[in-house]
Amino acid sequence: MILTKTLTVALVGNPNTGKSTLFNALSGLRQRVGNFPGVTVEMKKGQFSAEGKTIDLIDLPGTYSLAARSPDEMVAVDLLLGRRPEEPRPDVVLSIVDATNLDRHLYLMSQLLDLGEPVVVAVNMIDAAEAQGIKIDCTKLSERLGVPVIPIQANKGVGLRDLMRAVFAAAESVPSPQRPVFPEAFEKEIAALQTEFGNEVPGFLTRRFLLDVGGYIEHWLLGKHGDKLRQKLISARQRLTEAGCAVPAVETRTRFGWVRSAVAAAVVKPTVRPVTWTDKLDRILTHRFWGTLIFLVVMFLMFQSIFLWAKPAMDAIDGVREKAAKALESAMAPGPLQGLVVDGIIKGVGSVLVFLPQIMILFGFIAVLEDCGYMARAAFLMDRLMSRCGLSGKSFIPLLSSVACAVPGIMATRVIENRRDRLATIMVAPLMSCSARLPVYVLLIGAFLKEGYSSWVPGFVLFGLYMIGFTVAPLVALLLKRTLLKGATPVFVMELPAYRRPAIRSVLRRMSEAGWAFVVRAGTIILAAMILVWALLYFPHTDAAGTPYYERIEKADQEAKEASEKIKGLKESGQEVPEELEAATAEPDRLNGEWKRNSLLGRAGLFLEPAFRPLGWDWKIGMAALASFPAREVIVGTLGLIYDVGDVDSKAIGDDTADEEAKEKAAGLTKAVKDDWSKDPVRGKYGVAVAMSLMVFFALCCQCASTLAVIRRETKSWLWPAFTFTYMTVLAYLGALLAFQLGAIITDAVG
């Protein structure tokens, strides 16, 4: 028979088998990411040609078993059985295994045989096996397993042509009848259950129903058929226990026995396992003290690179944004359209793109650490610490990444296989104080905690604000794992692969995929959010007399320029500058502030002021906080408008390298806030408490539309970003309330 249709091949394997490397080697650049409706699982699809035939290659998430315990894990099983309407049933299942650990990896392959589909085994990393003195007779192994077994080295493309020939041959052949033989008592119970289900449930799912105690298939079928089926299941398992075939142990015993028999006949291992350079490195890199020290150094270098290497590119993107905004501002007539394009769209897009270099550098590091094998060692080291808050070692790097920016940190949770652990990590990642919070901290610390305090106080307070996230995040994760994400604690299986050289092409592809996904998917959400905030700050755009504010500001700008020239001339001649000229230069900023106070957002701040009072805030602080929900950096610019200082660049706060005008605006905002609060009976007396209240609120609140957009993307649901926003806002309010009330008590006691 000659194949004429497109061949669908599913790529299945344990984590760290080189599955992604093989997928990339076969599909090249012709690949895309696909999402399954209703679940968080993401798969890769690639299409390529070989031997004149077209192949659709589907790369399923790495797994150790087909025993599904969640809807996400069930997706792979459904696809392999042809039960997903968006994908055809695979013609061939390509099982990739690690040549250095066949005993464990062939366990999954033995489950694949139960599907009744043609299976081809790709034995990867044959070079690593040879280095350990392992000799594999693939012909004999193929005879014992009953399926084609092809040795390959995916990172160098060795054996790929033979592999594709085996796939084509398998597609034209009848699936192998060979598979592990379960005890007769077990098969008898399966036959009885299959009679109960009829054609409604495939034979593979019937076996999983009986074997997977507390698994997804058990919950699904019992929920559908009720107590009658539950009693039959309990009785069947009881009879198997009495017959010495207790589940799930019978599967482990049967499959591993079958696999070991096949491996023993085809694989020759050295009597004494040679000590490889991987073993020598692991003695250091997994050592409790030295390994942890090296890990901290690696993490320090990674985050230094994210901050330092990304800065030139981030500045360049920000510069392009500013130039584009100024060019359009001068080219367009003042009015709503100009405001929408310049402030809403250009600055909205720019506020997203500015994080792109950080994301690409972070994912470049993660790709290198994963490809070289170090990521598994890092997760192993951190597992003891993370397990105390209900997470695994794989959660540590995403949480640490969130200190730079929660967006790449959340995207980095893809390395966590367990759905509950991944969701818990995503939910708490925004609690880590990211770089966008820093301008707010520096502004308020500089205004209220420098003068009259010891030199160590500002640094200590800043450290404390960062520690809020490091302290609260594990507690929230533990609470989530015991309530909403409650379930059986997964066994932390972390295989330590051999060290190998990262593939540059694979690293670059990971970087470009992460960057493109961020720009396209997160960018659209934050753009919409920025346009919404712009509209709330822009309208109504006329004063009480009906004159548009932008016309008054344009006129005031002209008068301010003329006044500045006159002031310059007077100062050069040593003459005194009249107050009316000073007032003329400040008039555009004053009008801007008046406009924002009269805007819809300003009015919302006044309306909600009673809710802000327990925190020590007035409507101005409340309005600035409301404006900052799409992106927390917005608060600095909003405060500048409210306090009549003008548009303040958040990056100029605490940055000695900023230009003089930007630093002058930033310093002016610090002074304006301090002066305004000093006139108020509450903020004047409890200024430090109010500042601490606002900083604690920012430390705990989720004020970032791009973060919420990425949570939506990673979870495939609006429920989780809504939950994250709600619980963090409530937590932030309570934290700010506690900070102000305690601060006020301390102030009264000291005073």
Side-chain angles (χ1 to χ4, degrees):
M1 182 177 74
I2 299 175
L3 288 172
T4 56
K5 65 166 188 163
T6 298
L7 195 67
T8 301
V9 178
L11 184 55
V12 184
N14 291 180
N16 298 314
T17 54
K19 190 163 60 70
S20 296
T21 304
L22 176 59
F23 175 80
N24 291 331
L26 290 174
S27 62
L29 297 175
R30 297 185 63 185
Q31 55 182 259
R32 66 188 188 280
V33 174
N35 298 313
F36 291 103
V39 290
T40 63
V41 169
E42 193 172 73
M43 65 175 176
K44 289 181 181 177
K45 300 179 184 179
Q47 190 176 82
F48 63 100
S49 298
E51 307 285 332
K53 303 175 182 69
T54 302
I55 299 95
D56 279 340
L57 186 62
I58 302 174
D59 181 19
L60 293 173
T63 182
Y64 291 100
S65 169
L66 294 182
R69 308 200 69 83
S70 70
D72 284 1
E73 294 173 356
M74 189 62 191
V75 163
V77 175
D78 280 340
L79 185 140
L80 293 169
L81 289 171
R83 290 162 53 86
R84 300 293 303 190
E86 64 273 14
E87 294 295 337
R89 183 167 186 170
D91 299 293
V92 178
V93 178
L94 182 53
S95 173
I96 182 168
V97 299
D98 182 349
T100 65
N101 200 352
L102 288 176
D103 295 72
R104 174 177 291 176
H105 289 231
L106 286 173
Y107 180 91
L108 174 62
M109 190 281 301
S110 73
Q111 291 181 327
L112 295 173
L113 292 176
D114 291 345
L115 294 166
E117 288 292 323
V119 175
V120 175
V121 177
V123 181
N124 192 27
M125 294 181 272
I126 52 174
D127 55 329
E130 290 172 359
Q132 294 181 22
I134 300 173
K135 297 179 181 179
I136 304 172
D137 186 336
C138 289
T139 303
K140 188 172 290 186
L141 185 62
S142 176
E143 292 172 359
R144 296 300 296 261
L145 298 177
V147 296
V149 178
I150 311 298
I152 65 168
Q153 192 176 340
N155 61 342
K156 293 188 177 179
V158 176
L160 299 190
R161 184 169 295 180
D162 292 338
L163 180 64
M164 292 318 302
R165 287 173 182 159
V167 168
F168 294 139
E172 299 177 5
S173 64
V174 178
S176 170
Q178 289 180 236
R179 63 198 62 188
V181 179
F182 280 72
E184 185 179 347
F186 178 82
E187 295 296 347
K188 183 180 177 181
E189 296 295 344
I190 290 295
L193 284 171
Q194 194 63 56
T195 302
E196 178 78 19
F197 293 136
N199 295 326
E200 177 192 1
V201 179
F204 177 83
L205 295 186
T206 303
R207 301 179 79 85
R208 301 310 331 161
F209 172 66
L210 185 57
L211 285 168
D212 302 338
V213 180
Y216 177 80
I217 297 170
E218 178 183 317
H219 289 298
W220 166 53
L221 288 175
L222 291 182
K224 191 173 183 180
H225 293 274
D227 290 337
K228 183 180 177 183
L229 181 61
R230 186 187 307 275
Q231 290 304 318
K232 290 185 177 182
L233 177 63
I234 293 171
S235 299
R237 287 175 176 168
Q238 182 63 36
R239 287 191 294 270
L240 287 174
T241 301
E242 293 170 357
C245 304
V247 294
V250 63
E251 178 176 32
T252 306
R253 187 169 59 248
T254 302
R255 293 193 187 281
F256 273 125
W258 184 76
V259 167
R260 285 168 184 155
S261 174
V263 171
V267 179
V268 177
K269 298 181 181 180
T271 308
V272 179
R273 184 179 179 275
V275 178
T276 65
W277 67 284
T278 292
D279 297 324
K280 294 175 182 177
L281 277 175
D282 276 345
R283 288 174 188 168
I284 301 171
L285 296 180
T286 61
H287 189 273
R288 183 175 295 184
F289 175 75
W290 295 113
T292 304
L293 184 62
I294 292 170
F295 171 74
L296 293 175
V297 171
V298 170
M299 290 298 101
F300 174 77
L301 292 175
M302 183 171 80
F303 286 107
Q304 279 292 92
S305 69
I306 290 172
F307 279 107
L308 298 179
W309 296 357
K311 193 174 187 305
M314 292 175 77
D315 289 344
I317 292 172
D318 201 46
V320 170
R321 181 189 71 164
E322 289 299 320
K323 288 179 181 177
K326 287 179 180 177
L328 285 169
E329 197 170 16
S330 59
M332 298 177 70
L337 182 61
Q338 184 204 65
L340 172 64
V341 173
V342 175
D343 297 322
I345 297 176
I346 297 298
K347 292 184 178 179
V349 171
S351 66
V352 175
L353 293 181
V354 77
F355 294 114
L356 184 60
Q358 285 186 333
I359 289 168
M360 295 187 72
I361 289 173
L362 174 65
F363 272 83
F365 259 96
I366 289 176
V368 169
L369 294 177
E370 281 186 340
D371 283 4
C372 75
Y374 182 74
M375 186 69 83
R377 276 80 183 174
F380 171 77
L381 284 169
M382 290 297 109
D383 182 60
R384 180 174 297 180
L385 174 65
M386 300 306 295
S387 63
R388 293 179 180 176
C389 57
L391 300 175
S392 73
K394 291 188 176 182
S395 298
F396 184 76
I397 289 179
L399 290 179
L400 200 58
S401 303
S402 299
V403 175
C405 177
V407 169
I410 291 167
M411 292 171 72
T413 60
R414 295 173 189 173
V415 301
I416 305 171
E417 289 91 3
N418 182 266
R419 177 177 175 270
R420 293 189 186 91
D421 281 4
R422 185 168 67 250
L423 281 174
T425 307
I426 288 172
M427 295 301 102
V428 301
L431 285 168
M432 312 303 285
S433 276
C434 66
S435 56
R437 290 174 167 106
L438 190 59
V440 185
Y441 296 161
V442 174
L443 171 69
L444 295 172
I445 290 172
F448 296 96
L449 294 169
K450 276 195 173 181
E451 293 181 17
Y453 291 89
S454 300
S455 58
W456 58 268
V457 170
F460 179 77
V461 172
L462 186 60
F463 171 75
L465 290 166
Y466 274 85
M467 286 307 298
I468 287 175
F470 280 105
T471 304
V472 174
L475 296 175
V476 173
L478 184 60
L479 181 63
L480 288 172
K481 290 301 293 292
R482 291 183 176 179
T483 53
L484 288 178
L485 301 176
K486 188 176 182 179
T489 302
V491 177
F492 181 58
V493 180
M494 174 53 67
E495 200 165 332
L496 301 182
Y499 293 103
R500 53 185 179 268
R501 184 186 304 168
I504 300 301
R505 185 177 296 178
S506 174
V507 171
L508 293 175
R509 184 179 285 116
R510 287 280 299 277
M511 294 171 67
S512 62
E513 285 175 356
W516 181 249
F518 173 65
V519 170
V520 172
R521 299 178 186 182
T524 54
I525 301 296
I526 195 171
L527 174 59
M530 291 303 291
I531 290 174
L532 176 62
V533 169
W534 165 81
L536 292 173
L537 279 168
Y538 191 89
F539 295 105
H541 63 293
T542 56
D543 60 17
T547 305
Y549 275 107
Y550 57 81
E551 290 183 3
R552 293 179 63 188
I553 292 171
E554 185 180 23
K555 182 180 177 182
D557 276 331
Q558 285 295 119
E559 293 174 353
K561 288 177 184 177
E562 294 172 4
S564 295
E565 290 295 323
K566 291 178 181 178
I567 290 172
K568 184 179 179 182
L570 290 171
K571 286 183 176 179
E572 287 176 353
S573 62
Q575 298 181 52
E576 187 177 343
V577 177
E579 289 185 8
E580 57 267 20
L581 287 181
E582 293 281 8
T585 59
E587 183 64 10
D589 290 337
R590 191 197 67 77
L591 284 173
N592 238 323
E594 179 185 317
W595 184 359
K596 302 315 172 192
R597 285 190 289 275
N598 291 329
S599 68
L600 293 173
L601 193 61
R603 294 174 186 180
L606 286 166
F607 176 76
L608 293 173
E609 190 173 32
F612 300 140
R613 282 199 195 108
L615 313 182
W617 303 2
D618 62 355
W619 73 269
K620 296 179 183 178
I621 304 172
M623 174 186 165
L626 288 174
S628 69
F629 272 95
R632 52 183 61 91
E633 308 96 309
V634 173
I635 190 174
V636 176
T638 307
L639 286 171
L641 295 173
I642 294 171
Y643 288 104
D644 299 336
V645 178
D647 192 6
V648 179
D649 185 356
S650 64
K651 294 188 293 299
I653 301 289
D655 185 2
D656 294 332
T657 63
D659 62 70
E660 289 302 318
E661 184 181 353
K663 285 196 289 186
E664 187 177 334
K665 287 263 190 183
L669 175 58
T670 302
K671 184 177 184 299
V673 170
K674 194 171 183 179
D675 290 346
D676 183 80
W677 288 14
S678 66
K679 301 170 187 175
D680 187 273
V682 174
R683 280 156 292 285
K685 183 178 181 181
Y686 305 113
V688 173
V690 175
M692 291 303 301
S693 169
L694 186 55
M695 287 188 285
V696 168
F697 184 87
F698 268 76
L700 295 173
C701 194
C702 187
Q703 298 153 293
C704 184
S706 56
T707 295
L708 295 172
V710 170
I711 293 175
R712 160 68 181 86
R713 177 185 180 277
E714 295 299 310
T715 62
K716 309 299 183 294
S717 168
W718 279 112
L719 173 65
W720 292 112
F723 171 74
T724 304
F725 177 80
T726 302
Y727 99 76
M728 288 186 66
T729 303
V730 172
L731 192 63
Y733 186 92
L734 294 175
L737 177 66
L738 184 64
F740 175 71
Q741 297 299 335
L742 284 178
I745 291 170
I746 293 170
T747 302
D748 289 336
V750 172

